[in-house]
Amino acid sequence: MYRTSPTFHDIVSSSKEHTTGFDYLRVGLALSVLVVHAINIGNHDLSEWMWQSWFGPIERFILPSFFALSGYLVTGSLGRNSIPQFIMLRVARIFPALIVEVLLSAFVLGALVTTLPIKQYVTSPEFHAYLLNMFGIIHYTLPGVFEGKALNVQLWTIPFELECYIAIVVFGLLGLVTRPRMFLSILSALIVIMTIGAVWQDWYETSWNVPGRMLVIAFLCGCLAYLFRHSLRHSPGLFAGSVILSYVFLYVPNLVFLAAMPLTYATVYIGLLRLPKIPFGDISYGVYLFHFPIARTIHELSGETMGWPLLLVLTLGLSGLFATGSWRLVEKPVLGQKRALLAATDRACQWFVRPWQARKALP
């Protein structure tokens, strides 16, 4: 059909606006995070070796790819909806499942395993602080639970996800989403500045996490890829080159920001592949939210003796069950109310604006 490689837009148009590659990518990345954390809990020495070895760039690819994917997809949503509607849709996607996970961790898991009397447990400031996770204010421990070990390390990315949405809303208000060349110039300058700062100050050479700002940059690169979707080619050669560049830049921690653009291209390329439809729904967010408390609990109840392979298998199975429940009972029903949520948002905006319009109309 195409004499040259089709553009990203061509792929989406010919797929009737739905490309199943993104579904596989979401699930695959969520499961990758699960594997990394299960190994980290079950065999910390192996986890350290993996991070510092040739395998390290593959690990460092996972979370930025998640954010790049999100940036590409939500920019389309911003184009189809008003900014208040866009914010409402993001709230509906993030917070219901997050709230359920936090409440289950605090009131069920924590209450069952805490070494403190239940009254002391629920009245502890540490317990109250943990509940702030529901609003994206992250705290990792519960009183008397697993000797103060982190129960939900995976939530560290939530504030940066919220920051991403704030950033794209600001860019939208400034009109940059309709001026992709200016968007590209600003983002390129940010990448260069942050790379110079990282190299000059040696910010991330010994870091055990991908920098949070790298996640934001990857998200914005995903937004940029969407804005240039009419000109970016879905090319196997470009994909191979992007993978190689991503690996090289991610191999040196202080150069990770330079990986953002090639990493984003590789991510979107995979997302636009035409694959069979996944039959069990989008369980990726549920897997991401629930896997770490499950893995931590299994390992602690085993007396910290369980090896990582068995821990991985058990965590995978239980996370799949909880994620499926989260999708069917929480996420899907909320998302199914999309029209009602958008209508409610419009009514709220009209209610807010009406008094100002009335004042303006006064002589």
Side-chain angles (χ1 to χ4, degrees):
M1 181 176 178
Y2 301 100
R3 294 183 179 180
T4 59
S5 299
T7 65
F8 288 177
H9 176 72
D10 293 333
I11 296 289
V12 174
S13 297
S14 62
S15 301
K16 298 180 180 179
E17 302 298 325
H18 184 74
T19 46
T20 51
F22 284 113
D23 299 333
Y24 282 86
L25 195 56
R26 276 190 290 259
V27 174
L29 291 171
L31 292 176
S32 298
V33 174
L34 182 153
V35 171
V36 169
H37 284 158
I39 295 174
N40 182 268
I41 292 173
N43 189 332
H44 188 68
D45 290 339
L46 175 60
S47 179
E48 287 190 359
W49 175 84
M50 289 171 59
W51 185 262
Q52 294 176 328
S53 72
W54 59 269
F55 191 80
I58 299 174
E59 280 193 61
R60 291 189 275 276
F61 183 94
I62 297 170
L63 288 178
S65 181
F66 237 138
F67 275 67
L69 177 157
S70 178
Y72 183 86
L73 294 178
V74 304
T75 304
S77 175
L78 182 60
R80 294 187 296 270
N81 300 285
S82 66
I83 288 178
Q85 289 176 331
F86 173 80
I87 294 172
M88 173 57 74
L89 291 175
R90 294 303 94 211
V91 169
R93 188 66 187 99
I94 295 173
F95 286 101
L98 174 63
I99 290 170
V100 170
E101 189 276 331
V102 172
L103 292 177
L104 287 176
S105 296
F107 286 98
V108 179
L109 174 59
L112 288 173
V113 302
T114 183
T115 57
L116 299 178
I118 194 66
K119 182 177 181 181
Q120 184 179 349
Y121 171 75
V122 297
T123 57
S124 168
E126 187 178 0
F127 177 84
H128 300 153
Y130 187 89
L131 296 179
L132 294 175
N133 286 322
M134 294 188 294
F135 308 104
I137 304 171
I138 305 305
H139 296 268
Y140 298 107
T141 62
L142 280 167
V145 174
F146 303 145
E147 300 178 341
K149 294 176 183 174
L151 189 62
N152 55 355
V153 163
Q154 83 287 2
L155 296 186
W156 78 271
T157 61
I158 296 293
F160 293 103
E161 186 172 3
L162 298 178
E163 188 174 312
C164 288
Y165 298 138
I166 293 171
I168 192 59
V169 165
V170 170
F171 276 33
L173 291 172
L174 293 175
L176 293 177
V177 294
T178 59
R179 305 177 69 182
R181 293 185 182 278
M182 181 173 289
F183 196 130
L184 172 61
S185 299
I186 293 173
L187 185 54
S188 299
L190 283 173
I191 291 172
V192 171
I193 291 169
M194 297 181 84
T195 300
I196 291 173
V199 172
W200 188 264
Q201 298 293 331
D202 198 24
W203 287 343
Y204 306 117
E205 193 61 44
T206 58
S207 175
W208 294 103
N209 257 331
V210 175
R213 292 292 175 270
M214 167 58 172
L215 304 182
V216 178
I217 292 294
F219 176 90
L220 293 175
C221 285
C223 300
L224 188 67
Y226 181 86
L227 297 179
F228 279 95
R229 65 194 182 281
H230 292 280
S231 54
L232 283 172
R233 297 284 174 181
H234 193 258
S235 163
L238 288 175
F239 171 72
S242 296
V243 170
I244 293 170
L245 279 177
S246 299
Y247 185 92
V248 170
F249 290 136
L250 290 171
Y251 190 83
V252 182
N254 283 325
L255 298 182
V256 292
F257 292 104
L258 296 179
M261 287 190 179
L263 177 150
T264 297
Y265 181 91
T267 297
V268 178
Y269 179 93
I270 296 171
L272 293 175
L273 294 176
R274 298 174 181 176
L275 302 170
K277 187 176 180 180
I278 292 179
F280 47 78
D282 185 5
I283 64 170
S284 59
Y285 189 44
V287 169
Y288 188 84
L289 286 178
F290 285 98
H291 77 275
F292 197 91
I294 290 171
R296 174 68 78 195
T297 301
I298 294 172
H299 193 246
E300 292 296 320
L301 294 181
S302 75
E304 301 183 358
T305 59
M306 184 178 292
W308 72 264
L310 180 56
L311 177 62
L312 173 58
V313 171
L314 294 176
T315 302
L316 183 61
L318 288 173
S319 297
L321 289 175
F322 274 86
T324 301
S326 175
W327 171 249
R328 293 183 178 179
L329 301 176
V330 181
E331 298 167 63
K332 187 177 180 181
V334 171
L335 296 175
Q337 299 299 314
K338 176 179 177 180
R339 290 185 179 179
L341 291 171
L342 295 182
T345 302
D346 289 340
R347 288 194 298 271
C349 290
Q350 290 172 5
W351 177 85
F352 180 79
V353 170
R354 192 177 295 119
W356 296 96
Q357 291 176 332
R359 288 184 186 180
K360 192 174 182 180
L362 290 174

